[in-house]
Amino acid sequence: MNFKLVITRQEYMKDRTLGRLIVFRERIKYADFFTLELPWLDNKRNISCIPQGVYIIRKRYSRRFGDHFEVLGVPDRTLILFHVGNFPDDTDGCILPGLSLEDIGTEKIPKDGIKEVADSGKAMRMLNEMITDDEAELIIC
């Protein structure tokens, strides 16, 4: 595997966990992003982020999410994905990448002073284009 992704969780909040995602290619920093996950709630399905650890991600396609990645080897969990989304309501335990952390707000969700991941669609396209291997290592700390 030529690619290693490292998520450093930086801010644990009541309804979300914000982090930094760095992509390494052959041990050289290749790109960095931000992440939004659900809060840590003991790895409970659909309401918690996954445990810290080392995983494999694999490229995957679905009609719902298009090209994305699946995180393999999560204890007691399946179908943990990297996919497009900005808010905690956009995930059931998956990882949402973005280009920045901002209070973006929408018509349905007004700005509230709390950060979300911005430009998630662009971040996901970039990840899909840059990770050319079928699988990569993911470290969450």
Side-chain angles (χ1 to χ4, degrees), residues 86-101:
N86 303 98
F87 300 93
D89 287 348
D90 295 332
T91 177
D92 291 327
C94 298
I95 301 166
L96 309 178
L99 297 183
S100 62
L101 293 174

Side-chain angles (χ1 to χ4, degrees), residues 25-137:
R25 182 175 186 178
E26 297 171 0
R27 298 185 180 164
I28 298 170
K29 184 178 174 182
Y30 196 58
D32 66 77
F33 301 89
F34 295 88
T35 59
L36 185 144
E37 301 174 78
L38 291 177
W40 174 249
L41 295 171
D42 297 319
N43 196 34
K44 291 179 184 170
R45 184 173 290 207
N46 298 330
I47 62 168
S48 177
C49 59
I50 62 176
Q52 294 179 353
V54 179
Y55 303 98
I56 299 296
I57 63 167
R58 177 175 48 201
K59 287 188 173 197
R60 186 172 186 276
Y61 175 84
S62 72
R63 278 192 236 163
R64 180 176 178 191
F65 296 115
D67 290 319
H68 60 280
F69 300 93
E70 180 178 8
V71 182
L72 304 175
V74 178
D76 303 316
R77 303 275 293 274
T78 58
L79 287 176
I80 303 300
L81 309 175
F82 270 79
H83 66 76
V84 173
N86 303 98
F87 300 93
D89 287 348
D90 295 332
T91 177
D92 291 327
C94 298
I95 301 166
L96 309 178
L99 297 183
S100 62
L101 293 174
E102 300 176 29
D103 180 10
I104 56 178
T106 66
E107 288 181 24
K108 293 181 182 179
I109 303 171
K111 289 187 178 190
D112 56 7
I114 301 172
K115 294 177 183 176
E116 295 86 27
V117 287
D119 297 313
S120 184
K122 187 173 182 182
M124 198 69 232
R125 283 190 300 278
M126 290 171 68
L127 284 167
N128 276 302
E129 289 171 7
M130 76 175 54
I131 299 174
T132 55
D133 298 346
D134 290 335
E135 294 184 345
E137 183 178 43

Side-chain angles (χ1 to χ4, degrees), residues 2-35:
N2 293 318
F3 292 90
K4 181 185 293 188
L5 289 76
V6 178
I7 294 176
T8 304
R9 291 177 173 155
Q10 298 178 323
E11 195 171 351
Y12 292 89
M13 302 167 77
K14 182 179 177 182
D15 70 338
R16 69 195 73 192
T17 300
L18 302 175
R20 190 76 180 249
L21 167 63
I22 299 176
V23 178
F24 293 91
R25 182 175 186 178
E26 297 171 0
R27 298 185 180 164
I28 298 170
K29 184 178 174 182
Y30 196 58
D32 66 77
F33 301 89
F34 295 88
T35 59

